[in-house]
């Protein structure tokens, strides 16, 4: 094991025996090798843990660290647990049913960290299934203003985080809630001193897998949407004044959009079907409201 590890790739797994080997293989095939792969088996009741151990042996990956939760503690708690064990300079998250996009992916991220040493790197995602659309960062959609008004892709798997930055600012996942990525991503954006982006795809996001966290309709998903909104609103107080109008614009749009999403979840519960694709956020900044809020803040000062 190398002492100065560059990347800690965190993968949490729960009952994904059909997909976990594919995810591990995509990491194993990376050209860049200075990483550790931390896999948290979160109390799986199938053969997930066995598959992880088999893959570690098959690929002879001594840089795999396995954390085995005897009981299921949830994605947020498992990720927080993994970050405590991480030794890499940068943290990457990869879901256990997704894959890294190309063998050169870590090489590309490494180049950015060498040149810029940012707190956050925004990266692209390729949807597999559904629209099969790719979301690619660029100079316009990767400013702090743009990411607060409407993040192109809230999933933490579309970002790379400097570990010291996360620890110094006490950035952790909310626990026992759905949609924990949103608060984590927004808080990171607010507090980051240096942001960068890569105009490339980081991972393949396989959509609409039956049994996945994001495809199961429950009443808890509805209540958690309001919990997440509450926590996003709390971030307003730590947001610098110049960025508050952008976060406020997001809060207003997300509040309206939540009603539509809850209706989709309730219909899925009533009909006993998996969740249909949620409407993609494509919020536009209300420049009239933005100018109004900026004027109010100038007057207050």
């Amino acid at each position: 094991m190398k002492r100065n590890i560059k990347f800690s790739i965190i993968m949490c797994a729960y009952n994904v025996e059909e997909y976990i080997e594919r995810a591990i293989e995509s990491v194993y095939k990376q050209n860049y090798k200075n990483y550790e792969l931390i896999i948290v088996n979160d109390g799986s009741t199938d053969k997930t843990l066995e598959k992880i151990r088999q893959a570690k042996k098959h690929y002879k990956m001594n840089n795999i660290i396995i954390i085995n939760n005897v009981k299921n503690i949830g994605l947020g708690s498992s990720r927080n647990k993994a970050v405590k064990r991480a030794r890499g300079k940068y943290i990457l998250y990869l879901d256990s049913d997704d894959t890294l996009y190309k063998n050169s992916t870590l090489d590309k991220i490494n180049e950015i960290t060498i040149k810029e040493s940012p707190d956050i790197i925004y990266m692209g995602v390729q949807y597999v299934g559904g629209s099969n659309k790719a979301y690619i960062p660029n100079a316009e959609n990767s400013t702090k203003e743009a990411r607060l008004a409407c993040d192109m892709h809230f999933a933490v798997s579309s970002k790379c985080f400097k570990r010291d930055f996360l620890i110094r600012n006490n950035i952790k996942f909310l626990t026992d809630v759905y949609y924990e990525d949103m608060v984590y991503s927004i808080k990171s954006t607010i507090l980051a001193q240096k942001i960068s982006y890569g105009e490339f795809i980081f991972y393949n996001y396989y959509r609409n897998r039956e049994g996945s966290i994001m495809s199961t309709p429950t009443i808890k998903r509805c209540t958690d949407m309001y919990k997440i909104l509450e926590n996003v609103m709390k971030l307003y107080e730590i947001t610098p004044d110049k960025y508050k109008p952008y976060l406020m614009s997001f809060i207003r749009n997300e509040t309206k959009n939540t009603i539509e999403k809850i209706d989709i979840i309730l219909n899925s519960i009533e009909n006993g079907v998996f969740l249909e694709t949620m409407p993609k956020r494509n919020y536009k900044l209300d420049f009239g409201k933005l100018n109004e809020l900026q004027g109010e803040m100038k007057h207050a000062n």
Side-chain angles (χ1 to χ4, degrees):
M1 294 290 289
K2 297 180 180 180
R3 292 186 178 181
N4 298 318
I5 297 171
K6 190 60 173 286
F7 298 112
S8 292
I9 304 170
I10 293 174
M11 183 186 298
C12 297
Y14 176 69
N15 288 352
V16 286
E17 63 179 2
E18 296 180 39
Y19 309 98
I20 187 70
E21 289 177 290
R22 180 184 67 184
I24 295 173
E25 182 182 31
S26 75
V27 177
Y28 168 75
K29 287 184 175 180
Q30 290 299 300
N31 301 327
Y32 187 85
K33 299 298 184 183
N34 188 12
Y35 66 83
E36 62 179 2
L37 175 58
I38 303 175
I39 306 178
V40 184
N41 175 53
D42 190 22
S44 296
T45 56
D46 63 359
K47 295 181 179 179
T48 294
L49 180 58
E50 181 181 339
K51 295 286 187 179
I52 295 169
R53 289 171 172 164
Q54 287 176 351
K56 178 176 181 177
K57 182 177 180 181
H58 174 73
Y59 294 118
K60 299 179 181 178
M61 294 176 71
N62 294 325
N63 54 349
I64 288 184
I65 298 169
I66 302 173
I67 299 175
N68 185 36
N69 297 337
V70 178
K71 295 182 179 179
N72 180 268
I73 63 174
L75 183 58
S77 295
S78 293
R79 283 173 169 170
N80 290 337
K81 193 173 183 180
V83 171
K84 286 183 179 180
R85 288 282 300 274
R87 295 175 294 168
K89 185 174 182 180
Y90 283 90
I91 301 289
L92 293 162
Y93 296 99
L94 180 67
D95 287 346
S96 54
D97 52 357
D98 294 329
T99 58
L100 296 184
Y101 186 63
K102 288 185 176 180
N103 298 349
S104 59
T105 296
L106 290 185
D107 281 318
K108 292 180 178 180
I109 304 171
N110 185 51
E111 289 175 7
I112 296 174
T113 64
I114 292 173
K115 292 178 181 178
E116 304 179 38
S117 190
D119 295 323
I120 305 175
I121 303 170
Y122 299 122
M123 302 175 295
V125 53
Q126 173 67 59
Y127 279 41
V128 181
S131 65
N132 289 318
K133 187 173 182 178
Y135 293 88
I136 309 292
N138 56 41
E140 181 180 358
N141 64 32
S142 296
T143 64
K144 186 171 287 197
E145 291 88 345
R147 292 286 173 156
L148 290 178
C150 185
D151 197 322
M152 183 186 71
H153 201 259
F154 274 112
V156 294
S157 296
S158 65
K159 303 168 180 69
C160 176
F161 303 90
K162 186 180 285 185
R163 183 169 60 90
D164 287 349
F165 160 73
L166 297 175
I167 295 171
R168 186 170 64 252
N169 290 285
N170 195 33
I171 298 174
K172 297 179 180 178
F173 289 96
L174 298 177
T175 59
D176 194 32
V177 292
Y178 291 103
Y179 317 112
E180 62 279 294
D181 285 19
M182 182 185 290
V183 177
Y184 194 94
S185 292
I186 292 177
K187 185 176 181 179
S188 298
T189 296
I190 291 170
L191 297 177
Q193 296 298 310
K194 191 169 186 179
I195 290 172
S196 186
Y197 66 92
E199 293 187 75
F200 57 82
I201 295 171
F202 173 62
Y203 77 111
N204 295 305
Y205 172 43
Y206 294 88
R207 305 196 69 182
N208 302 325
R209 174 176 68 81
E210 290 191 3
S212 72
I213 292 175
M214 299 309 293
S215 68
T216 306
T218 64
I219 292 297
K220 178 173 167 48
R221 297 180 73 92
C222 301
T223 58
D224 282 358
M225 283 187 174
Y226 288 113
K227 290 179 183 178
I228 293 299
L229 261 177
E230 177 188 4
N231 279 276
V232 171
M233 290 178 185
K234 289 178 180 178
L235 295 177
Y236 184 81
E237 299 303 322
I238 67 169
T239 305
D241 285 348
K242 66 180 292 188
Y243 299 116
K244 282 183 176 178
Y246 299 92
L247 180 60
M248 181 62 76
S249 177
F250 171 77
I251 291 171
R252 289 176 181 274
N253 285 317
E254 184 68 7
T255 300
K256 296 173 185 176
N257 194 30
T258 294
I259 297 173
E260 182 180 355
K261 290 184 175 181
I262 286 178
D263 189 52
I264 291 173
I265 294 171
L266 294 178
N267 285 334
S268 296
I269 293 173
E270 289 176 346
N271 296 320
V273 297
F274 285 99
L275 279 174
E276 60 184 87
T277 302
M278 292 286 199
K280 180 68 180 174
R281 295 180 185 86
N282 189 25
Y283 301 154
K284 301 298 181 183
L285 205 60
D286 185 338
F287 286 99
K289 179 60 68 175
L290 174 61
N291 293 333
E292 180 184 328
L293 287 167
Q294 288 175 331
E296 291 176 357
M297 285 190 288
K298 287 181 180 179
H299 182 72
N301 293 331

